[in-house]
Amino acid sequence: MQTPWIKEKQLNRALERNEAFWDGALDGPPLLWLTVPNAKTGMPPQEPSSDEALWTDLDYFVAATEDRLARTWYGGDALPISNPWLGPDQFAAWLGAEMELKPREYTSWVKPFVEDWNDFPEFHIAPDNPWWRLYLDMLRRCVERGKDKWVTPYPDLHTGIDALSAIRGGERLAMDLLAQPDAIHRAMKQMTALFKYVVDVASEIILPAGQGTTNWTGGWSQRRFVCIGQNDFTCMISPGMFDAFCWRDTVETCNHADVSIFHLDGPGCAAHLDRILRIEKL
């Protein structure tokens, strides 16, 4: 990994310490990613005319990314990273959901579209899905512009039970776990397969750049480092239901990464922590 914004000695130490963390060989204090935005002067590019274009205008996106990272101060073990994304519900949009972008709120929203699980025997990401094509274009542009400058992360993947919640609606999905468990088990297997597919496609774009990998949580590795467990929905289910509907997906997605981190979102999800900590690959 290379960058003009961190001195060589500091960069080499940061890379060494970040990688050592995954091997349980970190020497010295805990990892510390410390950044100060706008620490240097610069000339940010002019914003596009619409809020949505803050993400969809790729020329602006890569120019703004480079400007922001070049004007940031990096301390400790921090590295410059830029995360191309279309909000937390981008995966649901790749499955066909209508999506509304809210760049200034740093989020997106989708409209649930599954009325009957029997109408969706197989979920897939269509090659011509406009949101999928846009994301891949963002990813490629970010990797190309970031060569020898920054790390481009793996996508923020609300797959699994969160994807089902987005495309069905949380309240209806909660009832489905009781009333239609077979349909949910079938859909969850497909979510697991689609997680693997997206990670593999992203790897083909990210890894050849030689900048290593990261994700929206921060941290770095030369290996495939993916954030697992974007399972915010699990704050509403019991450990027994987590085992029944989410356990296999969690294990398989961990196994598909080289190194991984689990995003435990909120105190309600902590009920599943003991179970999650049994996953050796996590």
Side-chain angles (χ1 to χ4, degrees):
M1 191 262 167
Q2 299 181 51
T3 181
W5 305 315
I6 302 176
K7 293 182 179 180
E8 183 178 3
K9 183 177 180 180
Q10 178 186 340
L11 176 62
N12 290 338
R13 176 173 169 78
L15 296 176
E16 180 181 342
R17 282 174 47 78
N18 274 276
E19 197 69 87
F21 172 82
W22 303 110
D23 297 325
L26 185 62
D27 185 25
L31 286 179
L32 174 65
W33 276 51
L34 180 63
T35 60
V36 180
N38 302 315
K40 307 170 188 176
T41 59
M43 185 67 71
Q46 183 176 353
E47 289 190 356
S49 57
S50 71
D51 285 358
E52 187 174 274
L54 293 171
W55 285 348
T56 60
D57 183 330
L58 300 190
D59 289 336
Y60 170 78
F61 164 70
V62 294
T65 291
E66 181 159 4
D67 170 75
R68 172 175 53 83
L69 296 179
R71 292 189 295 109
T72 297
W73 178 86
Y74 303 92
D77 306 302
L79 303 169
I81 66 174
S82 173
N83 187 17
W85 82 322
L86 298 167
D89 278 335
Q90 61 184 7
F91 183 80
W94 300 342
L95 298 180
E98 297 179 21
M99 182 166 63
E100 181 181 6
L101 300 182
K102 294 287 187 179
R104 295 201 186 277
E105 300 172 28
Y106 210 60
T107 193
S108 61
W109 300 97
V110 294
K111 180 180 179 180
F113 63 88
V114 175
E115 296 297 328
D116 187 333
W117 291 109
N118 292 324
D119 294 335
F120 296 91
E122 183 176 355
F123 292 98
H124 67 284
I125 299 175
D128 61 349
N129 178 293
W131 294 115
W132 175 239
R133 291 173 60 184
L134 175 60
Y135 172 75
L136 292 181
D137 286 344
M138 292 177 74
L139 189 66
R140 293 189 184 99
R141 290 285 294 274
C142 193
V143 169
E144 291 168 2
R145 187 72 170 256
K147 182 174 175 58
D148 297 333
K149 296 177 182 176
W150 67 75
V151 187
T152 300
Y154 279 107
D156 183 6
L157 287 175
H158 282 263
T159 56
I161 200 74
D162 273 8
L164 301 190
S165 178
I167 65 178
R168 174 66 165 158
E171 291 184 3
R172 292 192 294 179
L173 177 61
M175 295 299 296
D176 293 341
L177 298 181
L178 298 171
Q180 302 185 67
D182 290 344
I184 305 308
H185 284 304
R186 182 182 71 244
M188 282 295 293
K189 288 181 180 179
Q190 296 175 34
M191 296 303 104
T192 304
L194 287 168
F195 173 96
K196 296 177 182 179
Y197 168 74
V198 171
V199 169
D200 289 346
V201 170
S203 294
E204 291 176 359
I205 299 171
I206 293 171
L207 295 181
Q211 291 288 84
T213 68
T214 185
N215 56 72
W216 69 271
T217 65
W220 178 88
S221 177
Q222 193 62 47
R223 294 165 279 182
R224 296 181 7 152
F225 167 36
V226 184
C227 179
I228 308 295
Q230 299 291 87
N231 293 332
D232 301 353
F233 181 85
T234 61
C235 71
M236 297 186 285
I237 62 176
S238 68
M241 278 195 166
F242 180 90
D243 277 2
F245 294 102
C246 304
W247 174 251
R248 183 185 296 273
D249 174 73
T250 304
V251 172
E252 288 195 30
T253 53
C254 281
N255 288 339
H256 197 66
D258 295 326
V259 293
S260 58
I261 188 169
F262 191 96
H263 178 228
L264 196 69
D265 194 342
C269 296
H272 315 302
L273 182 57
D274 288 346
R275 186 74 162 123
I276 291 166
L277 291 177
R278 298 176 193 171
I279 303 175
E280 287 188 18
K281 194 74 183 289
L282 180 64

